[in-house]
């Protein structure tokens, strides 16, 4: 993702404020992404890079959630996407829902999801080889946490 990560990170960074940490998990890249990320993190104070070497997507997602410092986590923001507006609106909607329900919600949108860090550590991604996200969504439904939100895409 060395060719796309800079534009993706910059697009997210301009949409968020100091309430947010932009955690990037480099999962053993060998394509030059690390030098791009180091340069970005020196210029953008919200960017924090975690280096790991996981065997699969589920382990990488779990590692990033474990490394997150916040109480809430946005997931599935990908390094080859450019983000338009909508991230902070999604967060605001999540908190409005969270204030109104008696359970810990998992808000599933279109290529963006949010939940408390604790919920994502309690019901984590499982290593399956494929369909890790769908498996997580099914388990969130089964445990009564998933709320779906239909909205316009926030990325391209």
């Amino acid at each position: 993702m060395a060719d796309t990560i800079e534009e993706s990170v910059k697009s997210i960074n301009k949409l968020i404020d100091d309430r947010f940490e932009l955690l990037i998990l480099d999962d053993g890249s060998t394509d030059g992404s690390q030098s791009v990320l180091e340069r970005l993190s020196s210029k953008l104070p919200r960017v924090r890079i975690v280096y790991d070497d996981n065997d699969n997507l589920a382990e990488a997602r779990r590692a990033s959630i474990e490394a997150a410092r916040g109480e809430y986590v946005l997931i599935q923001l990908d390094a080859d996407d450019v983000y338009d507006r909508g991230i902070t609106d999604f967060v605001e909607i999540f908190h409005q829902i969270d204030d109104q329900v008696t359970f810990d919600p998992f808000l599933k949108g279109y290529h963006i999801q949010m939940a408390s860090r604790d919920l994502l550590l309690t019901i984590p991604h499982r290593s399956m080889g494929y369909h890790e996200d769908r498996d997580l969504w099914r388990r969130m439904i089964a445990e009564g946490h998933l709320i779906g939100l239909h909205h316009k895409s926030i990325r391209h």
Side-chain angles (χ1 to χ4, degrees):
M1 300 294 180
D3 295 340
T4 60
I5 187 94
E6 183 168 1
E7 186 177 12
S8 182
V9 168
K10 286 180 175 180
S11 72
I12 294 170
N13 188 65
K14 74 179 179 185
L15 297 173
I16 60 176
D17 58 36
D18 289 335
R19 298 173 297 163
F20 295 84
E21 165 188 53
L22 181 50
L23 178 77
I24 301 167
L25 179 75
D26 183 300
D27 202 26
S29 66
T30 58
D31 65 350
S33 294
Q34 290 182 0
S35 61
V36 174
L37 292 173
E38 291 295 334
R39 186 171 36 79
L40 286 170
S41 68
S42 70
K43 294 178 183 178
L44 305 173
R46 285 187 287 270
V47 173
R48 184 164 66 94
I49 305 164
V50 174
Y51 295 99
D52 212 331
D53 190 17
N54 297 290
D55 290 332
N56 59 52
L57 176 64
E59 288 180 16
R61 292 216 197 272
R62 281 195 310 264
S64 65
I65 292 163
E66 289 170 0
R69 294 180 179 149
E71 182 179 351
Y72 299 97
V73 180
L74 283 163
I75 58 174
Q76 207 162 333
L77 302 176
D78 295 326
D80 59 348
D81 292 330
V82 175
Y83 294 86
D84 303 317
R85 65 196 135 178
I87 291 175
T88 55
D89 293 335
F90 191 86
V91 170
E92 187 174 314
I93 291 167
F94 172 86
H95 287 298
Q96 289 173 5
I97 291 169
D98 191 33
D99 289 344
Q100 298 297 314
V101 298
T102 59
F103 58 92
D104 199 359
F106 177 93
L107 185 59
K108 180 191 175 311
Y110 183 62
H111 296 282
I112 186 170
Q113 297 145 42
M114 184 171 177
S116 72
R117 181 176 177 271
D118 289 343
L119 178 61
L120 293 168
L121 292 173
T122 302
I123 305 175
H125 282 88
R126 294 191 295 199
S127 299
M128 301 178 65
Y130 59 93
H131 297 302
E132 289 89 348
D133 291 325
R134 289 182 182 157
D135 173 68
L136 176 67
W137 304 335
R138 287 183 189 115
R139 290 183 296 117
M140 288 292 180
I141 290 169
E143 296 290 329
H145 296 282
L146 191 135
I147 296 174
L149 180 65
H150 182 74
H151 57 90
K152 291 182 179 180
S153 180
I154 62 168
R155 63 155 181 105
H156 61 273

